[in-house]
Amino acid sequence: MSRVATFLAAVTCCVVAHAQPIKVGGMCDRSGATKNLGTEMCPGVADYIALVNKRGGVLGHKIDYTEIDHAYVPPRAVEAYKKLKAEGAVTFFTYGVPTLQALTPYFMEDKIPPFNSGTGSSELVDGTVWPYIFPGTASYWSQAGVAMKYLKDNGAKRGTKVAYLYYDNPAGRDGIPMVDAIAEKEGFVVRKYAVQPPELDVERPVTAIVRDFKPDWVITSLFSRAPTASLREFKRMGYPLNRVVAFVYGAGDSDVADAGWDNAQGYVGLQFAAVGRTFPVIQDIMKMLRDEGKEVPAYVGGAYYNRGVLNGAIIVEGIRLAIQNHGMPLTGTKVKQGYEAIRKLDLGAFAPPLSITAEDHEGGGYLRIYQVKGREWALLSDWTRAYRPEALELRKKANTK
């Protein structure tokens, strides 16, 4: 039996007659600025939960999962949260820094934990200060650490010039303190360039990077249509894409496909879930869909879809531990404690050895590095993290202001 089969068996054992269902809310963007993420990542969450339900639920309890499209608009996210809370949701899947900023006071006051998928201001990973917020996977500070370490491992040294190209909103700006801290430590020369929403004029900053600054490396924290536009511009201007390293939300299949795989050869991207269809959990989902007479969408196995599957698995494991350790009926506080009891989540090579504690709601900050080769993301590294002391120091400073 594979690790994933064993994991699912542990989650879904012990069917209970007439067991109370567990309400979980989902808030996604399927129609707004980041719909390229939502239309791939959010089905991954729903499909994993459907697989668990098909096998009997979580310790016999089916999960009643309801998703609402917030279109990456904070007021709509708040409206969705209130509706799902009224329906009895004890935890949520969501993402998006602007929406999470609007929702954080509600999660904290109502004591209902969201699993917000590697997004949000990086200081929120400190569970002692933000007990009901769970980024759960590598924050922007952890992404910056791994990106900068990749540069160093590939020849960057004191005086190396690094351009940081970011989407000018709270999410895009979040990595800046960590980039600056590492640059000071290592002696890198960093210059920052903003892409302004909503027009997304990428040509101007890319031109300034390539013609004026002439950096040795570029790190990008982009999403929406900006990653695709940046790839086209760097390619047009002849900048080598094997010198461009993208944070996780610019490293999706759709980002590359829309620019053209041939135009993106060498592009480097960070991922907090493995990419591809060969993993047992993805194979199980594909079989479920086919058994139901459904066509398997092309995005299944892609970076954003697999990220959704991982998030679904973490949510399910938190719920399982909450039931196991604290019993039914579930509350937000019990699910919080369930998340904080996750130790080395075992989905084989599909996921990092993720452990969440009451102090660390990030799960350790592990990532893999991939590179576009041909028409796929080729693996460059195993699960890794870097500059952890610098990230912890930034977290401490941010939470003691």
Side-chain angles (χ1 to χ4, degrees), residues 26-295:
M27 294 180 288
C28 292
D29 176 11
R30 289 179 179 255
S31 61
T34 59
K35 65 182 179 182
N36 65 311
L37 307 177
T39 53
E40 297 185 11
M41 184 163 62
C42 298
V45 178
D47 287 347
Y48 183 85
I49 290 173
L51 179 65
V52 168
N53 282 340
K54 192 177 184 69
R55 296 182 175 183
V58 183
L59 301 181
H61 298 267
K62 294 293 183 72
I63 295 181
D64 179 7
Y65 179 67
T66 302
E67 177 196 302
I68 295 176
D69 177 10
H70 61 40
Y72 203 62
V73 176
R76 287 182 58 171
V78 171
E79 180 182 351
Y81 167 77
K82 290 179 178 179
K83 182 178 186 299
L84 293 166
K85 176 195 168 188
E87 293 174 0
V90 292
T91 190
F92 290 85
F93 166 73
T94 188
Y95 66 92
V97 174
T99 55
L100 185 65
Q101 286 180 334
L103 288 165
T104 293
Y106 293 93
F107 292 132
M108 291 289 289
E109 182 176 350
D110 297 337
K111 297 184 178 180
I112 301 176
F115 203 85
N116 52 285
S117 185
T119 68
S121 300
S122 293
E123 66 264 24
L124 300 182
V125 303
D126 186 343
T128 64
V129 181
W130 305 97
Y132 284 88
I133 307 298
F134 285 84
T137 45
S139 69
Y140 290 113
W141 290 349
S142 291
Q143 293 170 48
V146 169
M148 296 288 264
K149 181 64 161 54
Y150 178 78
L151 271 54
K152 185 177 180 181
D153 290 344
N154 285 275
K157 57 186 183 299
R158 183 166 297 275
T160 292
K161 295 196 293 185
V162 181
Y164 182 72
L165 179 64
Y166 64 97
Y167 191 100
D168 195 14
N169 82 341
R173 292 190 293 268
D174 195 66
I176 290 175
M178 186 67 166
V179 169
D180 286 344
I182 298 170
E184 182 177 359
K185 176 184 177 69
E186 300 294 351
F188 301 159
V189 178
V190 171
R191 191 174 295 178
K192 294 176 276 290
Y193 299 83
V195 173
Q196 299 296 335
E199 292 82 4
L200 297 181
D201 177 9
V202 176
E203 180 179 354
R204 189 177 307 173
V206 170
T207 298
I209 289 170
V210 177
R211 289 185 181 173
D212 301 334
F213 187 42
K214 298 180 176 62
D216 301 291
W217 293 92
V218 178
I219 294 174
T220 67
S221 181
L222 301 172
F223 36 89
S224 184
R225 303 183 309 279
T228 294
S230 72
L231 282 168
R232 289 173 176 159
E233 287 301 314
F234 281 121
K235 179 68 174 179
R236 183 181 67 81
M237 299 199 67
Y239 190 83
L241 288 171
N242 63 354
R243 292 275 167 163
V244 180
V245 182
F247 284 7
V248 296
Y249 286 106
D253 298 71
S254 59
D255 301 312
V256 176
D258 289 348
W261 287 93
D262 292 342
N263 294 326
Q265 294 302 300
Y267 182 52
V268 178
L270 308 181
Q271 309 286 356
F272 56 69
V275 181
R277 287 187 166 189
T278 61
F279 303 96
V281 66
I282 302 300
Q283 290 290 310
D284 288 347
I285 289 173
M286 291 170 64
K287 182 179 185 303
M288 175 188 71
L289 295 173
R290 288 171 178 148
D291 288 348
E292 294 172 353
K294 299 175 182 176
E295 183 177 345

